[in-house]
Amino acid sequence: MKIYADHAATTKLDIDAFEAMKKYLLEEYGNASQPYSFSRTPKAALKSAREIIAKCINAAPEEIFFTSGGTESDNWAIKSTALIYGNNRATITSQIEHHAILHACHAVERMGYPVTYIPVDCYGVVRPKTLKDTISYNTKLVSIMFANNEIGTIEPIRELCDIAHQYGALFHTDAVQAIGHVKVDVKDLGIDMLSASAHKFNGPKGVGFLYLKSKTPLTPYVDGGAQEFGMRAGTENVASIVAMAVALEKSCRRIDDATNHLLALEEVLLDDLQKAGIDFIRNGSANKIPGILSLSFKHAQGEMLLHRLDLMGISVSTGSACDSQNTQLSHVLSAINVLEEYGYGTIRISFGHENTIEESRYIAAAIIKILK
């Protein structure tokens, strides 16, 4: 049996998204920026995709900018904001952000722009009071992830955004792990910028988008052409953009059903482990992305568990996906103060809607067999 349970790392391309791509690879392959008639269909496809994606998050089409993925979108938001406001104003982010944010922040620090990394509680939650105690009128940007990629914790985005705006700062959220899995309404939340990546919601790899609230200042990410309203030069990846829109619309439409299914998979696996007397802790908040389980097993080794499970046909992650080649505790586990006797035995199981109850039970049985 082959079981894929690492959907927080990437997801299988949705068949409808794949079918939507083919037309723009084999037939309507024209450059959408050209003025002749052969470009009309791909140009119309870009417009339609932008409208579909905007509707999924309650944005305006002109607020959606296509990128190569979440990493580019994060870098664009962090670096451009720093350049616009100069080194006399600061950025605030959290200690458990994805490395796309943390490394972008380190880069702007090297350029002389100050960054503050605020702590989280033991559940991985950025407490509004913590932000309130840190922020000042000198802060230009607050960037807090919507949901953590390792432990799944969902942050209190609306409250954090309100605090940022009270001090005249912009608010950005890395929503890569959340879009397509929980309902996101950018207007209701009040956020200024949001990053997303298609391959996290059954779209193709190498494409994503940045939501930029109307009139929010941002410098172009790439110069050289007038694509993306003059903000990101380069010939548009029409096929992948179309597929991303199809996948996102489909994922948003089935969020409720998918949530119920994923929670059922979690319950079965956790129940079987507990009945077997396995000593483990579950990391993160109760308010989290459905299907993501960060489990720390006492006196075990996450690397050993990953490879033993792999030999049994099961794909999971150890620690955070970005630290999968390291043996030290991930920055997320360290930030939430997981005890070392448990922390080194951490794996992340992330289910998708394709997984079954039978597969969840098989994973639990495999872990029990390894640990006993």
Side-chain angles (χ1 to χ4, degrees), residues 94-244:
S94 83
Q95 295 176 355
I96 64 166
E97 298 295 311
H98 189 279
H99 283 139
I101 291 291
L102 296 178
H103 290 177
C105 286
H106 296 162
V108 300
E109 282 185 292
R110 291 193 294 271
M111 291 186 280
Y113 307 124
V115 179
T116 301
Y117 303 86
I118 59 177
V120 295
D121 67 15
C122 63
Y123 301 106
V125 176
V126 177
R127 294 295 180 186
K129 184 180 185 302
T130 304
L131 177 60
K132 186 81 170 179
D133 291 343
T134 306
I135 198 169
S136 72
Y137 289 103
N138 192 47
T139 304
K140 65 176 174 290
L141 176 68
V142 176
S143 181
I144 304 295
M145 66 196 331
F146 199 110
N148 184 264
N149 54 294
E150 183 176 348
I151 59 178
T153 295
I154 296 175
E155 303 296 347
I157 296 299
R158 184 185 291 106
E159 293 90 334
L160 297 172
C161 183
D162 286 345
I163 293 170
H165 289 165
Q166 288 169 21
Y167 285 82
L170 298 174
F171 189 89
H172 165 259
T173 185
D174 175 345
V176 167
Q177 211 66 63
I179 292 291
H181 302 287
V182 294
K183 295 174 182 177
V184 177
D185 184 327
V186 294
K187 284 189 171 58
D188 178 58
L189 296 169
I191 58 182
D192 301 295
M193 292 179 280
L194 173 148
S195 300
S197 195
H199 76 102
K200 301 291 188 176
F201 50 79
N202 300 103
K205 297 176 181 67
V207 66
F209 65 88
L210 176 70
Y211 159 75
L212 181 67
K213 186 178 179 181
S214 178
K215 298 182 181 179
T216 300
L218 205 68
T219 59
Y221 188 73
V222 179
D223 296 308
Q227 293 90 350
E228 295 307 296
F229 312 109
M231 295 292 283
R232 185 186 185 271
T235 302
E236 300 94 341
N237 185 356
V238 178
S240 291
I241 289 168
V242 168
M244 172 170 62

Side-chain angles (χ1 to χ4, degrees), residues 279-281 295-302 329 337-346:
D279 190 346
F280 72 97
I281 57 175
L295 306 177
S296 297
F297 298 92
K298 190 174 184 179
H299 299 316
Q301 290 295 323
L329 287 181
N337 296 314
V338 176
L339 295 175
E340 284 194 7
E341 60 190 288
Y342 286 95
Y344 286 108
T346 301

Side-chain angles (χ1 to χ4, degrees), residues 266-277:
E266 290 183 18
E267 184 178 357
V268 165
L269 187 143
L270 294 172
D271 188 54
D272 285 358
L273 292 177
Q274 290 164 351
K275 285 179 178 176

